[in-house]
Every structure is written in structure tokens, then in C-alpha cells.
Amino acid sequence: MVTSGELHALGQEWAGVLAVTLLTLLISFGSGFLLALHPAVDRITGVLSMAAGGASGLVAVAADLGGDIRMVGTLQYTRVLLITASTPPVAAYVFHAPPAGVTAATSAAGRGIAVGLVCTVAGVLVARLSRVPAGDLLGPMIAAAAVSISGGLPAPVLPGIVVAVAYVMIGWSATLGFTRAALGVVARVLPLSLGLVLLLMGVSAVTGVWLARLAGLPDLDGYLATTPGGMMAVLAVAAASGGNVTFITGVQAVRLFLMLALTPLLTGWLRRRGRRTPETSPAGR
């Protein structure tokens, strides 16, 4: 997603894009700390659960970062479900987006797959050697972004079967540990999480309209560009409504990249801080 075309499309609105993105990050991380006020949630799990972007990536590394993968998986995909379900009706009834069919995009193949696999292997090796938090996630992500922005090679992609297997493994690892007691804990936390997600969605919509007017675009484009997740629904609605898909993708890519890059750093800091304060509870509060 992070290509020179999308980044160039942001044009002169970089300050506004960064302001909106940083506000989304602050609200997400703040919501994670608020969620951790619940006695069943520690701070690392709270931050991972409320981070607005990269649900599958964060679930995949949740255990490595010290979070409860069951809680993170449930709350992350609850957020994605809310955004995915609400985006089409909000676009239609609030922003009056015209109904239209969407043509599915085709994936690049051949050299793009080779570049994607090289980025994956090289990114993992470099990240492990440098001991980057969540290196298996961040290493390939940064390598692929660098190749995409440079434009000298085909855009990195992965074979469909690799992506499908990865999603299966993420879902499997997130659900194997569920017990009746674990489900009860998640159910008690869910109302607070839903309230925080709805707050984030509302703030994102307001800031999106502000960004759209700053850039001289329709309000719908700003709303779609700043939804805190639900990329597939967002891009489908953008394509169907004739929106500025390149601008929307660029803003979404900046948010996704920063969220995935900063969340492991924040959780790593929380974990180190917890080790320096032995008087804290075992939950890492």
C-alpha cells in the first residue's frame, strides 16, 4: 500500500494528514490505557486491543509483545466488524454516496511475488539481528514499504495461498486458548471496548471531514480516508462512489504504517517499565 503514487497524492496536505493520523494514534493509545482500568485487562493488552489498524498483524504478534492474544483478537476484530458494517450505510445515508458496482482488483504476480518473498525473508533476518520489537512484523513491512516507495522494482506482493494460510494460522492461534472463563472475561470487557471504539470512530469522522475541506475534496473522501480500520470496505465504497481512491489509500497507509510501527515500541516500553517496578501487580499494571 505504501507507494510513491499514494504518498505523492497527499500533495500539500501533509501537515493535515499527520495531524489527523497522530490524533488517531493518541486516541487509540489513550483508549488502550482507559481499557486497562478494567481489572481484567493489563496495559499491554489494552494498547494492543485498541490500536486502530493492522488487526491481523497485531494479533499475530500479541503474544510476543506480552498481550493476551484472545482478548486482543476479539477486540481488534470487533472494531473491524463495526467499521466494515457501518461504512457503507454511513457513506450512503450521511454522505449520500451513489450506489455502484465495484470491480475487484487483480493481484500482481511473477516478479512482484519474488520481490515480496525477498522483502519478507530479508526483513525478518535484519529485524532479528537488530532485535527490533515484533521484528517478524516490522522488518518485512519496512522493507516492502522502502521497495514500493523507491519504485525501482515491482511492487511486492505475496501469493494468495501464503496470505490465506497466514490468516488461518492467526485465527487459529487467537482462538485455541479460549475457555468458558476466558469468554466470560472478554464479555465483561466488551461494553467498555465498544464505547471506546465508537468514540474513536466519531472523532475520526469529524477530523476526516476537516481534512477533506482542507484538501478541497468531498466530505466523503475525508471520512473514508480516516476510518480507523476496515480498509477493504473503505476502498470498495471509495471505488463505487467515484472517490479519490489514491488520496484515501495514501492517508490510510500512513495511519496503518505508523500504528503498526509505534504500537510494538509502546508495548516494549511498557514491558521494560513493568520490569523496573516490581511493586506492580502481575498483570503489569
Side-chain angles (χ1 to χ4, degrees):
M1 289 173 52
V2 186
T3 66
S4 57
E6 274 77 24
L7 297 181
H8 181 73
L10 302 183
Q12 304 300 315
E13 311 308 329
W14 268 104
V17 171
L18 287 178
V20 169
T21 302
L22 291 175
L23 179 61
T24 303
L25 265 64
L26 287 173
I27 295 175
S28 298
F29 293 149
S31 298
F33 282 99
L34 288 175
L35 187 67
L37 295 176
H38 194 287
V41 183
D42 61 85
R43 286 180 179 173
I44 292 177
T45 298
V47 168
L48 291 171
S49 297
M50 298 306 300
S56 57
L58 292 177
V59 173
V61 297
D64 292 339
L65 294 174
D68 184 336
I69 189 173
R70 300 166 301 182
M71 184 78 69
V72 173
T74 301
L75 300 186
Q76 276 287 339
Y77 283 107
T78 297
R79 173 183 57 81
V80 172
L81 177 62
L82 280 174
I83 296 170
T84 301
S86 64
T87 296
V90 168
Y93 297 111
V94 177
F95 296 98
H96 309 292
V102 179
T103 302
T106 57
S107 299
R111 291 190 300 166
I113 290 177
V115 173
L117 293 174
V118 170
C119 287
T120 301
V121 175
V124 168
L125 291 175
V126 172
R128 289 190 176 183
L129 289 174
S130 55
R131 298 184 179 180
V132 175
D136 291 352
L137 171 70
L138 296 184
M141 184 180 77
I142 294 171
V147 169
S148 295
I149 292 172
S150 69
L153 293 171
V157 295
L158 289 176
I161 186 64
V162 173
V163 177
V165 171
Y167 277 123
V168 170
M169 296 304 295
I170 291 169
W172 193 6
S173 62
T175 55
L176 274 180
F178 268 113
T179 61
R180 184 174 298 179
L183 286 171
V185 172
V186 171
R188 293 196 297 273
V189 174
L190 197 56
L192 176 58
S193 172
L194 288 175
L196 293 171
V197 170
L198 291 174
L199 173 64
L200 176 62
M201 291 170 62
V203 173
S204 297
V206 172
T207 58
V209 170
W210 171 80
L211 180 61
R213 295 180 180 180
L214 183 68
L217 296 171
D219 290 351
L220 176 61
D221 285 1
Y223 164 71
L224 294 175
T226 57
T227 58
M231 276 293 299
M232 293 304 102
V234 165
L235 295 181
V237 172
S241 62
N244 191 329
V245 177
T246 306
F247 179 85
I248 291 167
T249 305
V251 178
Q252 287 279 358
V254 170
R255 174 191 56 81
L256 181 63
F257 188 90
L258 289 178
M259 188 67 70
L260 286 173
L262 294 178
T263 301
L265 298 178
L266 176 58
T267 55
W269 176 78
L270 289 173
R271 191 160 46 175
R272 291 191 301 272
R273 184 172 177 267
R275 285 198 292 262
R276 288 197 301 266
T277 54
E279 68 274 10
T280 55
S281 69
R285 303 185 69 81

